Amino acid sequence: MRHTYCPDCGAKLAERPVGDEGLVPWCRNCGRPWFDSFSTCIITAVMNDRGEVLLQRETRRPEREVLVAGYIKPGESAEDAARREIAEETGLTVTALRYVASYPHMNGDMLMLGYAATAEGENRTDSGEILSARWTTLDEAVAALREGSIAQQVVRKVRDAQDTHNPE
Ligand SMILES: [Zn+2]
């Protein structure tokens, strides 16, 4: 989102060159730039110790299967957000977490940070947000997730990295 008015004082913003960023919205009152803002989310391929990935159906959108995803709260690290969302949505405890890649979404209004998590414990689907969940192989998940979706891109990247590490 591009700022038109200063979020602090409400003045109409001018534009001013800032470093090598080009013209950036600038508040003359506050003497500071307001860079374009976007929300940041995490999306995680949650894996069990058999190397299967968790696909869920959400109550509000039951027609497709999705990965665990959610907004990062102000002051929270992306890794803490991933652990929190996984705990809230699945009841599972993360034992390992690794960054996969980032994906701009919604015409630049959102940046999704992709993670792969290994988790243990009992998978719950009683949070109210989740209709059902199942563990599948990475190949099955790539086929089941919406073609071209960020979820599918994350799982594909996790699968391709495993293929490279464990050549048959
Ligand atoms: Zn201002």
Side-chain angles (χ1 to χ4, degrees), residues 105-161:
H105 190 39
M106 293 170 60
N107 295 320
D109 280 341
M110 185 184 287
L111 181 67
M112 302 201 76
L113 306 179
Y115 282 86
T118 307
E120 63 181 21
E122 194 187 340
N123 181 211
R124 287 193 290 101
T125 54
D126 59 359
S127 67
E129 288 180 48
I130 305 303
L131 200 63
S132 64
R134 65 176 175 126
W135 296 100
T136 74
T137 65
L138 291 167
D139 282 334
E140 280 179 278
V142 168
L145 291 164
R146 188 167 57 84
E147 188 61 33
S149 63
I150 291 172
Q152 189 196 44
Q153 293 178 59
V154 171
V155 172
R156 184 174 277 146
K157 208 163 169 92
V158 170
R159 182 193 64 183
D160 293 351

Side-chain angles (χ1 to χ4, degrees), residues 6-11 13 27 29-30 34:
C6 175
D8 271 355
C9 75
L13 297 174
C27 180
N29 279 349
C30 302
W34 289 97

